[in-house]
Amino acid sequence: MFGLTACTPVISVPAGTYATEPICAEVVLSLPDQVLEQDRAKTTSQATAAWGEGGAAITFTCGVEEPETASEDCQSITLDMFGEPETFDWIAYPSDTSFTFVTYGREPAMMVQVPASLNASQPTAALLDVANGVSKIPATKACE
């Protein structure tokens, strides 16, 4: 007799250059079960996470290259983290197919990609959903 199991999607997410940094494991373990109301899926690489289904999944990668400088596309988001305000700086790289955000001032850097096909009215809301995990790496500099 065979047991029935639900099919959990596996999303291919390339590992970041610094994926083996020990802090990345802590970050990924702190990420939520849902982002933008999409359920968490399994991924193929270390220090990554995904939510949704293949072709339209929100992806997270810890250990990517940090942007060299903050640009006009740097967005600061301040949240109440356990009673204390914390600012998260992200460099935005929008395209026709996705919204890509890379942390600024946190090493190793982290990247969130939100596919345009999700038609998310506020793709930056994904950054709020992953804030607890991102906060595991302290900020050392901020947007200018």
Side-chain angles (χ1 to χ4, degrees):
M1 187 173 265
F2 297 98
L4 296 177
T5 60
C7 257
T8 303
V10 177
I11 309 298
S12 179
V13 182
T17 304
Y18 306 105
T20 58
E21 289 288 328
I23 191 67
C24 283
E26 187 177 341
V27 168
V28 171
L29 289 172
S30 298
L31 294 172
D33 291 336
Q34 285 194 331
V35 170
L36 295 180
E37 299 179 1
Q38 301 294 309
D39 291 328
R40 191 156 179 174
K42 293 181 181 182
T43 60
T44 56
S45 301
Q46 179 178 352
T48 63
W51 298 266
E53 298 180 10
I58 300 159
T59 61
F60 179 95
T61 307
C62 183
V64 300
E65 293 282 341
E66 180 184 10
E68 288 186 24
T69 60
S71 68
E72 65 275 358
D73 292 328
C74 193
Q75 301 176 13
S76 295
I77 301 170
T78 302
L79 299 173
D80 181 334
M81 299 297 292
F82 309 106
E84 294 291 325
E86 184 166 352
T87 300
F88 299 85
D89 291 334
W90 296 88
I91 306 291
Y93 301 97
S95 74
D96 289 342
T97 58
S98 69
F99 300 92
T100 300
F101 305 95
V102 179
T103 56
Y104 179 75
R106 295 174 193 259
E107 292 183 51
M110 295 153 277
M111 179 174 63
V112 174
Q113 292 182 298
V114 180
S117 62
L118 281 181
N119 294 320
S121 60
Q122 291 292 324
T124 54
L127 307 179
L128 304 177
D129 290 343
V130 300
N132 186 51
V134 172
S135 71
K136 302 300 179 197
I137 298 177
T140 58
K141 53 188 168 187
C143 289
E144 300 166 0

